[in-house]
Amino acid sequence: MKFTWFNLMPWPYLPDDFREKHRSVWVDIDSRLFDPAKSHEVYNSHMDLLEYASTLGFDGIGVNEHHQNGYGIMPSPNIIAAGLARRTKDVGLVVLGNSIALYNPPVRVAEEFAMLDCISGGRLVAGFPVGTSMDTNYCYGQIPALTREKYAEAHDLIKRAWNEPDPFAFNGRYNKLRHVNIWPRPIQNPMPIHIPGGGSVETYDFCIDNTYSYSYLSFSGYIRAKALMQGYWDRVAARNAPDASPYRAGFAQTICVAETDEEAERLYSEHVSYFYNRCLHVYGGFADAPGYRTIKTIQTGALSQYAPPGEGGYSKLTWKDLVDGGHVIAGSPETVRQRMEELIKSLNVGNIFCLLHVGDMPKEKCMYSTKLFAEKVMPKLRNMFPDYADDNRFWCKPLAKRVTPGISTNEMSMAAAVGGKD
Amino acid sequence: METKTIDTHHIPVRYFEGGKGQPLVYLHGAGGILAGDPILTKLAEKYHVHAPLLPGYGDSEECGELRDMLDIALHTSDVVDALGLKDPILVGHSMGGMIAAEMAALAPHDYSRLGLICPAGLWLDDHPIPDLFAMLPYEMPQYLFHDVEAGTKLMTAGVALDDPEWLKGFLVQNARQMGMAGKILFPIPDRGLSQRLYRVRAKTVLVWGDSDRLIPPAYAHAWKKAIKGAELVSIAEASHMVTLEKTDQVVAALAKLA
């Protein structure tokens, strides 16, 4: 199993009446709700938590890209990952990922991912999302019906930029480049790639054909994800993939651990409520620009995950509803272990993106939950797939020998070494 | 109106044809058009009307090869050629007006009469056009109709939002049609037409609803300024769907071209 401690970086100061007074947490969210001075602490707390998780035995720490978004204040995950590369040692840096259709030209992604891989000593796990419609179309102005074609071209360009040893010309529809020849080059080849998807058939095939891991980053939990993930595994079988390794798939799950089930509710319910009621308050008109999803995908009946369940959406769901419905896995270590086991088995997923920070959860509570998960839950879930224990196609392969960042005591005395005058 | 299909270089194109008289080509707006649309029926009383559907509209095939304004304008010229028409009266509503104006700018000697009904295609910073692509269906009537209540009734006839099969069909149709429209209208309906309108030589009539809340009348004046000799006909108590709200007056205004 690969467990990644994943941080969405929500803004924790959305007001109590956010739902009533504001139409959306995303795209046209009121900029006056963002306080730059407060964000200094918010950013650093979130990064502290990612660093903390790296000391507890998680395989990876994860970041992602959103724009103009109150629950994800990380338009550039690469900036965060660069900070983490220096401050962490062995953990995988999961950047899930860069919306490659948004970079002009996309060789920028090839370059930045190569830099992250080199700085971290080969610890990068890269992701290439198409990007949500909110980010890609409404915030970054990409034409919905052309987004996927542009994405596919960007992908081909990045792969070639990493792989071809000599300068080449790239005459794409969206990118005209006479001299592609990136410096630096990544350590890892092939790079482990994860593709976040939301149920589009084309993305299933893209992952299968390229040996990429398919990640379903849902907020509605593992029970509702069953049909979608089954669709993926059916496709894996239908296209005669050489294996059905669980590492071909990943799933994001909100998790809250306490000593007892009651304590979990007492400690975390307000933060869970903050997330589902304020952070997921997305205006319906931004959920899915026409043309963004393919006809084939719409015909499968998959609604956008930003179309909330039932009448009144998440605001009507209580702690009990959210926990019973599997949106959130919460409770004592034993309760959480049981449900995680159910999740892993029923979805057949080897990569878990653990959403252990939820909504406006303060740092200390998050550390408490994270520590309990790392110490009392994670070890018991380690060997769920013994047959695939050696499948490392979808994970980073760091250099055996890596430097320790920072100036050493020896280097401090360089003055002496060069016959210093001190 | 008869529903027919004609081959073009890219794709077979569905079109509605009816009436007798001077040939007239009618290009629909982003919402599409049905064979029984009152504006077509009325125009067919005076003209030989051809109303081609943009690929993806109605039951017509989609066309991935059409990606931008130039592709779409040239394709529509291909349709006119395929129909065997020479210098038809070229009329377009909203997005259709944008395409018609582009065609008349690209080939100024091919089109001598141009009818533009509240066309898209220009952008004025002081009068931003509402984001059609971020609107929920129930929000649309207020932008499209002068009589919002009547417009709502018109738009919700036959709508069954709580029926998943109906909803799926609606989402598919919306993705096909508005996905295509997005290629020239998203996120801002400006593809540089303002730089090319000086080329239009056609006698041009602009028709605009006084209470158009989607493309407000400020745009009418910008268009009038951009096309030499263009005549503006303003219609009272009508919004963007002036073709439905004041069909007779629109047809009367277009008669200036005949």
Side-chain angles (χ1 to χ4, degrees):
Chain A
M1 292 298 301
K2 297 294 183 197
F3 292 97
T4 295
W5 195 97
F6 202 87
N7 197 333
L8 299 165
M9 292 205 175
W11 179 249
Y13 303 114
L14 300 174
D16 292 346
D17 58 0
F18 181 71
R19 284 188 78 87
E20 292 74 42
K21 296 267 171 69
H22 300 268
R23 81 165 181 173
S24 189
V25 77
W26 208 334
V27 183
D28 62 357
I29 181 171
D30 187 348
S31 74
R32 285 163 286 264
L33 296 175
F34 187 86
D35 180 334
K38 279 185 181 163
S39 80
H40 172 60
E41 196 204 331
V42 173
Y43 273 117
N44 282 285
S45 304
H46 280 310
M47 292 177 79
D48 286 347
L49 286 168
L50 285 155
E51 291 172 15
Y52 175 69
S54 79
T55 67
L56 296 175
F58 284 88
D59 302 279
I61 48 178
V63 290
N64 69 346
E65 172 179 334
H66 284 310
H67 301 274
Q68 304 176 191
N69 183 331
Y71 78 71
I73 55 170
M74 200 158 28
S76 169
N78 299 359
I79 287 179
I80 303 296
L84 298 173
R86 293 272 301 171
R87 301 262 306 164
T88 60
K89 260 180 76 163
D90 304 316
V91 76
L93 298 175
V94 183
V95 182
L96 200 56
N98 285 184
S99 304
I100 55 178
L102 302 183
Y103 293 79
N104 184 21
V107 283
R108 179 80 187 188
V109 175
E111 291 171 332
E112 291 194 4
F113 275 170
M115 285 176 73
L116 284 171
D117 204 40
C118 294
I119 295 168
S120 69
R123 289 190 283 137
L124 180 67
V125 177
F128 294 151
V130 173
T132 67
S133 193
M134 294 67 114
D135 292 316
T136 305
N137 306 131
Y138 291 106
C139 295
Y140 266 39
Q142 300 301 311
I143 292 173
L146 302 178
T147 300
R148 279 164 210 279
E149 190 175 74
K150 196 173 177 205
Y151 170 89
E153 181 178 311
H155 167 262
D156 294 345
L157 172 54
I158 291 167
K159 290 293 294 233
R160 286 185 64 192
W162 279 343
N163 286 314
E164 295 200 11
D166 298 310
F168 64 92
F170 187 86
N171 180 22
R173 191 178 295 282
Y174 301 93
N175 301 278
K176 304 275 184 201
L177 300 167
R178 194 64 187 82
H179 307 280
V180 182
N181 182 35
I182 63 159
W183 267 71
R185 301 284 174 134
I187 290 170
Q188 300 185 83
N189 188 15
M191 182 74 77
I193 306 281
H194 292 229
I195 307 288
S200 93
V201 187
E202 292 78 6
T203 310
Y204 295 162
D205 291 351
F206 180 64
C207 289
I208 297 163
D209 296 346
N210 288 287
T211 320
Y212 294 160
S213 186
Y214 180 82
S215 306
Y216 184 32
L217 306 185
S218 151
F219 302 125
S220 47
Y222 72 102
I223 295 172
R224 275 178 178 71
K226 179 82 178 123
L228 187 145
M229 287 307 293
Q230 193 54 50
Y232 172 65
W233 290 118
D234 290 347
R235 199 74 192 162
V236 168
R239 287 178 75 90
N240 292 315
D243 59 83
S245 166
Y247 295 101
R248 286 183 178 277
F251 187 68
Q253 175 67 48
T254 302
I255 305 167
C256 302
V257 198
E259 286 297 342
T260 63
D261 293 358
E262 296 71 34
E263 189 189 49
E265 178 169 2
R266 182 166 56 75
L267 288 179
Y268 308 125
S269 66
E270 60 178 305
H271 311 302
V272 164
S273 159
Y274 179 95
F275 181 74
Y276 283 95
N277 287 307
R278 295 181 218 181
C279 295
L280 293 189
H281 177 56
V282 180
Y283 170 63
F286 294 142
D288 190 4
Y292 165 77
R293 293 192 303 157
T294 62
I295 303 301
K296 217 156 100 185
T297 301
I298 299 171
Q299 281 167 338
T300 64
L303 289 174
S304 163
Q305 68 157 316
Y306 296 95
E311 190 102 352
Y314 285 116
S315 61
K316 294 281 189 291
L317 299 181
T318 63
W319 168 263
K320 191 172 179 309
D321 295 333
L322 288 166
V323 171
D324 289 352
H327 297 272
V328 178
I329 291 185
S332 70
E334 179 52 21
T335 303
V336 171
R337 184 197 64 76
Q338 283 176 20
R339 302 206 75 181
M340 287 300 295
E341 204 174 300
E342 202 177 304
L343 177 161
I344 292 164
K345 279 186 183 157
S346 66
L347 302 182
N348 189 41
V349 285
N351 302 288
I352 304 290
F353 305 100
C354 307
L355 301 170
L356 279 147
H357 181 275
V358 190
D360 60 347
M361 189 181 269
K363 194 166 161 183
E364 294 72 21
K365 274 195 203 180
C366 182
M367 289 168 70
Y368 178 68
S369 180
T370 297
K371 191 163 193 283
L372 281 170
F373 183 84
E375 290 177 353
K376 298 196 173 169
V377 181
M378 207 158 66
K380 295 183 177 161
L381 299 170
R382 277 284 173 202
N383 297 311
M384 298 282 292
F385 298 111
D387 293 352
Y388 291 98
D390 297 330
D391 185 0
N392 59 2
R393 291 171 296 174
F394 305 95
W395 202 252
C396 56
K397 295 152 207 76
L399 293 176
K401 203 164 167 239
R402 302 191 297 281
V403 299
T404 304
I407 302 290
S408 70
T409 345
N410 272 348
E411 288 159 330
M412 289 293 218
S413 53
M414 68 178 166
V418 296
K421 299 166 183 103
D422 283 7
Chain B
M1 284 283 156
E2 279 185 83
T3 302
K4 297 183 173 179
T5 306
I6 188 147
D7 277 326
T8 68
H9 170 76
H10 287 296
I11 201 149
V13 167
R14 187 77 89 209
Y15 69 103
F16 307 128
E17 183 177 355
K20 279 196 180 110
Q22 296 183 60
L24 181 148
V25 171
Y26 184 92
L27 305 178
H28 61 79
I33 197 162
L34 301 172
D37 194 286
I39 190 74
L40 298 185
T41 311
K42 269 279 169 220
L43 284 170
E45 289 173 7
K46 279 189 166 163
Y47 308 95
H48 183 186
V49 175
H50 303 74
L53 297 181
L54 205 54
Y57 275 77
D59 63 354
S60 68
E61 271 183 61
E62 291 178 271
C63 183
E65 287 304 306
L66 302 184
R67 295 183 178 83
D68 60 21
M69 190 71 232
L70 184 60
D71 292 344
I72 289 170
L74 293 178
H75 161 77
T76 310
S77 297
D78 290 350
V79 175
V80 173
D81 283 347
L83 291 169
L85 303 175
K86 279 250 178 305
D87 190 18
I89 300 174
L90 187 59
V91 178
H93 174 223
S94 193
M95 174 183 74
M98 179 180 185
I99 297 168
E102 188 75 57
M103 290 163 69
L106 283 172
H109 300 285
D110 289 359
Y111 301 100
S112 65
R113 289 154 303 166
L114 187 60
L116 303 174
I117 309 165
C118 45
L122 300 185
W123 182 264
L124 305 172
D125 282 338
D126 293 337
H127 303 277
I129 295 169
D131 185 358
L132 186 65
F133 293 87
M135 270 178 213
L136 295 172
Y138 71 85
E139 296 172 314
M140 288 184 177
Q142 61 180 306
Y143 296 104
L144 299 179
F145 296 95
H146 174 79
D147 183 341
V148 177
E149 202 180 319
T152 306
K153 269 191 197 144
L154 215 70
M155 283 190 72
T156 52
V159 167
L161 275 173
D162 45 2
D163 172 1
E165 278 310 305
W166 182 90
L167 189 63
K168 198 194 282 182
F170 169 80
L171 289 173
V172 166
Q173 189 198 42
N174 198 44
R176 281 161 47 89
Q177 300 191 161
M178 293 302 284
M180 182 67 184
K183 291 174 180 177
I184 52 175
L185 301 181
F186 189 95
I188 292 197
D190 176 359
R191 296 296 186 266
L193 192 51
S194 63
Q195 299 171 67
R196 298 185 285 275
L197 284 179
Y198 77 92
R199 290 172 52 90
V200 173
R201 301 168 69 108
K203 174 178 165 68
T204 301
V205 169
L206 292 157
V207 184
W208 227 284
D210 270 349
S211 43
D212 193 327
R213 282 181 285 260
L214 190 71
I215 307 183
Y219 283 87
H221 300 288
W223 278 89
K224 193 169 179 324
K225 243 166 88 179
I227 299 178
K228 208 172 154 194
E231 184 179 346
L232 171 62
V233 178
S234 299
I235 297 181
E237 298 185 348
S239 182
H240 198 65
M241 292 311 287
V242 59
T243 50
L244 288 177
E245 290 188 302
K246 301 288 176 197
T247 314
D248 290 343
Q249 292 181 46
V250 174
V251 174
L254 294 173
K256 294 170 185 285
L257 294 171

